[in-house]
Amino acid sequence: QERNARQEFKERHIPGASFFDIEECRDKSSPYDFMLPSPSHFADYVGRLGVGSDTHVVVYDGDELGTFYAPRAWWMFRVFGHKEVSVLNGGFKNWVKEGHPVTAEVSQPEPAVFKARLNTVLVKTFEEMVQNVGSLRFQVVDSRPEGRFRGTELDQGLESGHIPGSVNIPFHSFLTETGHEKSIEEIQQIFREKEVDLSKPLAATCRKGVTACHIALAAYLCGKRDVAVYDGSWSEWFHRAPPHYKVSELKRNKG
């Protein structure tokens, strides 16, 4: 949006934190937003931030909601085989509100060696998503706002709609008014109400693979560790899927 996250970080951050830039740590050759970088690109990038294979990583962001981008970074670490990674509950907003220390001093971490190996269980490709429309091998949850899922409002200039068979749970459903993650009981109830079975395979999608990671995190808290994220999400699906694979109420109404 209109934020300059790097500048915000320079002005104040949690002491000892490094700045992880998802604009930089991505596949820049892809026409789609925020696609995963190669394992070697990721390893080099986080190694320069001082993250080694044994480092326990805690990710947070400065979004007003409490948490917005952090689950994407959390998921990326897990996709590249890193198990010791957490999300700061409530984000930077609540860290400040609770009176914890902040600094403008930028740390200079010692470069570390990070070994990255892609865990294909945690990521879905366009081809797998297309195949699933027919086979329904796994459930699909879409984390975008309802209007974008239904196709009744534009999504940053892009016509919206959804993948056939997908279920809509807007990502902010999992956050409290203060920006903390809801309790496990509340999260389980949200999935139950949408008839999403956490004992069965599940993939998450959104606009560009960012808020879908909130679905993966919410399910993870309930003990489901293997939710895959469709990395290309709607920005890829809109451009590549055949017309009848894009469900939109707007089109139906026009028809």
Side-chain angles (χ1 to χ4, degrees), residues 4-252:
N4 182 339
R6 192 177 284 276
Q7 187 55 37
E8 287 176 29
F9 174 80
K10 277 181 182 161
E11 287 165 11
R12 55 178 196 167
H13 53 265
I14 295 175
S18 297
F19 185 71
F20 182 100
D21 190 343
I22 63 171
E23 293 279 0
E24 286 299 315
C25 192
R26 64 185 175 94
D27 177 5
K28 291 184 181 175
S29 66
S30 171
Y32 310 111
D33 300 310
F34 299 138
M35 296 294 274
L36 281 173
S38 66
S40 60
H41 177 172
F42 186 83
D44 289 347
Y45 186 83
V46 300
R48 286 199 303 274
L49 298 182
V51 178
S53 293
D54 298 328
T55 311
H56 187 148
V57 182
V58 179
V59 281
Y60 72 90
D61 61 62
D63 196 88
E64 266 311 296
L65 276 173
T67 298
F68 187 86
Y69 290 100
R72 170 73 186 189
W74 167 83
W75 172 75
M76 287 171 80
F77 274 103
R78 293 183 60 245
V79 159
F80 289 115
H82 199 61
K83 290 185 172 63
E84 293 297 314
V85 56
S86 311
V87 173
L88 176 64
N89 194 8
F92 190 62
K93 173 177 105 164
N94 283 293
W95 176 271
V96 172
K97 204 162 128 190
E98 290 163 19
H100 300 299
V102 295
T103 184
E105 196 180 310
V106 178
S107 59
Q108 300 294 333
E110 281 284 307
V113 176
F114 186 93
K115 290 187 171 67
R117 202 171 72 227
L118 184 68
N119 179 357
T120 52
V121 169
L122 296 180
V123 62
K124 291 291 183 204
T125 62
F126 173 75
E127 290 72 21
E128 287 170 312
M129 297 299 288
V130 168
Q131 210 173 20
N132 191 62
V133 172
S135 68
L136 298 178
R137 284 215 181 105
F138 51 87
Q139 307 161 95
V140 179
V141 174
D142 190 315
S143 65
R144 290 172 301 153
E146 190 186 4
R148 293 179 183 183
F149 177 82
R150 288 169 52 194
T152 54
E153 62 177 63
L154 283 176
D155 190 349
Q156 296 167 343
L158 197 68
E159 279 179 40
S160 55
H162 61 267
I163 298 168
S166 57
V167 171
N168 184 216
I169 308 179
F171 77 93
H172 53 75
S173 312
F174 298 111
L175 298 174
T176 65
E177 280 179 20
T178 59
H180 292 86
E181 204 73 24
K182 285 184 178 172
S183 71
I184 290 168
E185 291 72 24
E186 288 171 300
I187 291 170
Q188 287 171 329
Q189 184 59 23
I190 291 166
F191 282 122
R192 265 198 303 272
E193 281 170 7
K194 293 288 185 169
E195 296 180 1
V196 174
D197 185 343
L198 293 181
S199 69
K200 293 182 176 162
L202 174 62
T205 182
C206 57
R207 165 71 157 82
K208 36 187 156 180
V210 173
T211 63
C213 300
H214 282 254
I215 306 285
L217 177 63
Y220 186 93
L221 293 172
C222 298
K224 186 167 181 58
R225 307 284 158 97
D226 59 355
V227 173
V229 170
Y230 170 30
D231 198 25
S233 284
W234 186 254
S235 58
E236 180 182 40
W237 191 262
F238 176 78
H239 289 105
R240 294 187 64 190
H244 61 288
Y245 274 16
K246 290 178 269 197
V247 182
S248 166
E249 286 182 23
L250 212 58
K251 280 184 190 157
R252 222 179 295 156

